[in-house]
Amino acid sequence: MSEIRIVFAGSEGRMGRALLPGLHAAEGVAVVGEADVGDDLAQMIADTRAEVVVDFTTPAAAMPNARTVLAAGAHGVIGTTGFSAADLDALEAEAEAAGCGLLIAPNFSLGMILLQRFSEEAARHFPRVEIIETHHEGKLDAPSGTALRTAERLAAAGAESGPASNDIARGEDVSGVRVHSRRLPGIQAQQDVLFASESETLTLSHHALSRSCYLAGVLAAVRGIRGRRGLLRGLEPILFGDDETR
Ligand code: NAP
């Protein structure tokens, strides 16, 4: 089978520098273009005949990039966070219309994807829950896209709102789940989901020790997106063969 030709957008960023060596070394994948600020992504896709564009850029760049990818008839694997619900709904319609696949996942690490599944199960027994996420100081969005997605899934699984409070120190209310964001040096990405009842607590905790933890998930997405049409919200449909997160 021929190699999957990919362009990487955001090549000079932290994620780009961390992922590109592994993508260059991966079997069945050829990195045919690397784009960063100032490059013409549409021209690069056309010149390289790329089938898939992997995007780890900025919240401001990712939406126009996704439209460029669809206009070029390519598929997209997007790790950039910061999309609004309205953005996702718009891209779902545009990907359907273009006949291309877009996979947008706020987190490509297997550990985090499992934490989210385990969290849904726990929420059925411990509906009172809060999320604490910690990231490096260079992260542009807060709460993290992963925390937003986790909160939405917890809410759908039956998480209950705590006592009403407008105090900013109580965190952001995301679908009824409190999310606390911390930004500190020396930490890459960490998320704790803290469940409690009157008599016990349960904490599910994930630490990303290095950015290479995202590589396997990105490769699975690149390999799985061809032949898809429309928007996949998360890696789960490809990893587990289900569509539960759509
Ligand atoms: P970063 O270091 O700021 O890198 C982003 C790169 O994209 C920078 O080099 C930036 O250039 C470049 N860029 C900006 N606009 C562009 C455009 N139009 N076309 C091409 N490149 C452009 O950020 P990062 O730490 O690598 O993170 C990137 C994104 O991935 C963030 O949204 C982050 O939250 C997300 N992320 C996702 C996962 C996941 O698993 N899904 C994991 C980690 C991080 P300038 O610096 O010149 O603007």
Side-chain angles (χ1 to χ4, degrees), residues 4 29 70 78 90 95 104 167 181 212 246:
I4 306 169
V29 170
L70 294 176
I78 301 174
I104 302 183
D167 189 338
S181 297
S212 58
R246 289 198 71 177

Side-chain angles (χ1 to χ4, degrees), residues 60-148:
M63 188 73 179
N65 279 358
R67 291 191 160 130
T68 299
V69 170
L70 294 176
H75 301 291
V77 169
I78 301 174
T80 310
T81 52
F83 287 96
S84 67
D87 290 340
L88 294 175
D89 290 344
L91 287 177
E92 183 158 38
E94 291 170 34
E96 284 284 352
C100 300
L102 275 188
L103 186 152
I104 302 183
N107 207 300
F108 282 97
S109 95
L110 185 58
M112 177 53 73
I113 290 166
L114 290 172
L115 176 145
Q116 293 186 347
R117 279 174 94 88
F118 300 156
S119 293
E120 284 176 327
E121 179 65 23
R124 293 184 188 110
H125 306 281
F126 292 92
R128 291 288 292 107
V129 55
E130 302 206 358
I131 297 172
I132 303 112
E133 59 99 341
T134 312
H135 280 83
H136 58 89
E137 293 173 299
K139 185 164 179 56
L140 295 178
D141 50 328
S144 74
T146 300
L148 291 173

Side-chain angles (χ1 to χ4, degrees), residues 133-195:
E133 59 99 341
T134 312
H135 280 83
H136 58 89
E137 293 173 299
K139 185 164 179 56
L140 295 178
D141 50 328
S144 74
T146 300
L148 291 173
R149 189 78 189 113
T150 309
E152 287 161 3
R153 290 179 65 171
L154 284 166
E160 292 169 2
S161 306
S165 168
N166 292 325
D167 189 338
I168 196 167
R170 288 287 298 116
E172 184 166 333
D173 181 332
V174 180
S175 303
V177 176
R178 293 278 165 188
V179 180
H180 309 266
S181 297
R182 304 182 295 193
R183 297 291 177 262
L184 289 164
I187 292 171
Q188 198 201 303
Q190 181 178 332
Q191 180 169 291
D192 297 323
V193 185
L194 177 59
F195 300 88

Side-chain angles (χ1 to χ4, degrees), residues 9-10 12-16 35-37 56-59 61 65 79-81 105-108 136 139 141 211 214:
E12 301 297 323
R14 287 173 289 253
M15 288 299 290
D36 208 272
V37 158
F56 282 87
T57 58
T58 63
N65 279 358
T80 310
T81 52
N107 207 300
F108 282 97
H136 58 89
K139 185 164 179 56
D141 50 328
R211 290 186 173 87
Y214 305 112

